[in-house]
Amino acid sequence: MKIAEVSEKYGISADTLRYYERVGLIPPVHRNEGGIRDYDELDLRRVDFIKCMRRAGLPVEVLIDYVSLVQQGDSTAGARREILVEQRHQLLNKIEELEKVLGILDHKIEVYDEILLKIEQGLSNAKSEVE
Amino acid sequence: MKIAEVSEKYGISADTLRYYERVGLIPPVHRNEGGIRDYDELDLRRVDFIKCMRRAGLPVEVLIDYVSLVQQGDSTAGARREILVEQRHQLLNKIEELEKVLGILDHKIEVYDEILLKIEQGLSNAKSEVE
DNA sequence: CCTTGACTTGGAGTTAACTCCAAGTATTAC
DNA sequence: GTAATACTTGGAGTTAACTCCAAGTCAAGG
């Protein structure tokens, strides 16, 4: 699969795909006779993995370390697991934080609904108190 | 409360606090006779609100818009509600995405546990297949 | 009175993660 | 077979969100 198609399929620009390869986030992609990138099944799986991890905010640098360990073979399995455990931990914290803020937003929206209702009813003394 | 104390209390650098004020993320903070920032209760509530929102990843620009509407008074309550609803929506999507990735990480960690167990048992033919 | 240290400002510098560009080569369309 | 299109590379530019810096002010301790 050509880079343009991969870009289309995963919603990642061709520039970004090349950048990922350059910095080692994705190992060198398969090329055709002319030296042009021709993503095979494995390459696509790697792109998909990286896409997910990046969307979740895992730092490029951490992912580079991880990918480099994968390249070094089975002996690095323990170190790779450590990275995943650490990132899982970070992710969990992040989710908890976001859920807290979601609650705050929900509350604020409710308050606004009440205020707007009052304003609609012409109660202009519905001084907001919301920030 | 002086800027250094606020910085300490909320884990935001004094530079960042001044930056927030400069770009309009926080309305001008109360000053003492000498012109030095002296955060009052309202200022602190604002700092806390912004801290939460920023931690959840709400863009500074969006928050500037919101804060500016607050300054413009009650007539902007509807527009402010719209911003919050939109951000709530984005946040929910984000949380769903993170939870998906959390699941992927959990699965990968499990797979690593199995592999590491095999390796530990000396089954060097436990060829990983994990990426 | 002078020094120390926390504060002020506007503006420049940094970082992560892209994103774009110029110059060159290869493939496809006519 | 040649013009247009798509690809290549290394490197420069961009964006968001800080973060740091130089030069200056001011209150308080010795």
Side-chain angles (χ1 to χ4, degrees):
Chain A
M1 195 181 263
K2 281 187 289 185
I3 196 168
E5 296 170 80
V6 178
S7 167
E8 173 75 17
K9 178 167 178 181
Y10 291 98
I12 302 173
S13 83
D15 262 316
T16 300
L17 286 169
R18 281 189 291 260
Y19 162 73
Y20 281 172
E21 199 177 331
R22 237 194 302 187
V23 298
L25 231 173
I26 292 170
V29 166
H30 175 248
R31 305 293 180 112
N32 68 14
E33 328 75 43
I36 285 170
R37 286 179 185 80
D38 181 20
Y39 291 73
D40 63 21
E41 264 311 307
L42 180 57
D43 294 323
L44 292 179
R45 256 185 294 144
R46 284 164 171 170
V47 167
D48 191 51
F49 173 65
I50 291 301
K51 188 192 104 187
C52 285
M53 297 303 123
R54 284 297 302 131
R55 284 252 178 108
L58 274 71
V60 166
E61 210 181 322
V62 169
L63 293 171
I64 289 172
D65 286 350
Y66 180 83
V67 169
S68 131
L69 289 173
V70 172
Q71 301 308 296
Q72 288 169 49
D74 288 9
S75 68
T76 64
R80 277 182 265 160
R81 182 181 176 284
E82 283 316 300
I83 291 177
L84 297 186
V85 168
E86 165 65 15
Q87 292 306 310
R88 193 205 110 92
H89 176 70
Q90 303 272 333
L91 203 51
L92 208 56
N93 283 347
K94 191 79 197 165
I95 289 171
E96 277 163 19
E97 183 123 42
L98 295 196
E99 275 169 353
K100 215 180 69 188
V101 172
L102 190 66
I104 294 172
L105 286 182
D106 281 344
H107 175 70
K108 267 184 182 289
I109 290 168
E110 265 177 48
V111 174
Y112 270 116
D113 284 342
E114 286 166 28
I115 287 167
L116 287 166
L117 195 64
K118 283 186 193 160
I119 288 176
E120 204 179 298
Q121 293 171 347
L123 303 170
S124 64
N125 61 337
K127 187 112 188 29
S128 74
E129 302 292 329
V130 206
E131 287 235 345
Chain B
M1 193 181 266
K2 280 188 288 185
I3 196 167
E5 296 171 80
V6 178
S7 168
E8 173 76 17
K9 178 167 179 184
Y10 291 98
I12 302 175
S13 83
D15 262 315
T16 299
L17 286 169
R18 281 190 291 261
Y19 161 74
Y20 282 171
E21 197 177 334
R22 237 192 304 184
V23 299
L25 231 173
I26 293 169
V29 166
H30 175 248
R31 306 290 181 114
N32 67 15
E33 328 73 44
I36 286 173
R37 285 179 186 81
D38 181 19
Y39 291 72
D40 62 20
E41 264 311 307
L42 180 57
D43 293 324
L44 292 179
R45 257 185 293 141
R46 284 163 170 171
V47 167
D48 190 50
F49 173 65
I50 291 302
K51 187 192 105 184
C52 283
M53 297 302 126
R54 283 296 303 130
R55 284 253 176 110
L58 273 72
V60 166
E61 210 181 321
V62 169
L63 294 171
I64 290 172
D65 286 351
Y66 181 82
V67 169
S68 133
L69 288 173
V70 172
Q71 300 309 296
Q72 289 169 48
D74 288 11
S75 67
T76 64
R80 277 183 266 159
R81 183 181 176 284
E82 282 315 300
I83 290 177
L84 297 187
V85 168
E86 166 65 14
Q87 292 305 312
R88 193 206 109 93
H89 175 71
Q90 303 271 334
L91 202 51
L92 207 56
N93 283 348
K94 192 78 196 163
I95 290 171
E96 278 163 18
E97 182 124 40
L98 296 195
E99 275 169 351
K100 216 181 67 187
V101 172
L102 190 66
I104 293 173
L105 287 182
D106 281 344
H107 175 69
K108 266 183 183 292
I109 289 167
E110 267 178 47
V111 172
Y112 271 114
D113 284 342
E114 286 167 26
I115 287 168
L116 288 165
L117 195 64
K118 283 188 194 161
I119 288 175
E120 205 179 296
Q121 293 171 347
L123 303 170
S124 63
N125 60 338
K127 188 111 190 30
S128 71
E129 301 293 325
V130 206
E131 286 237 343

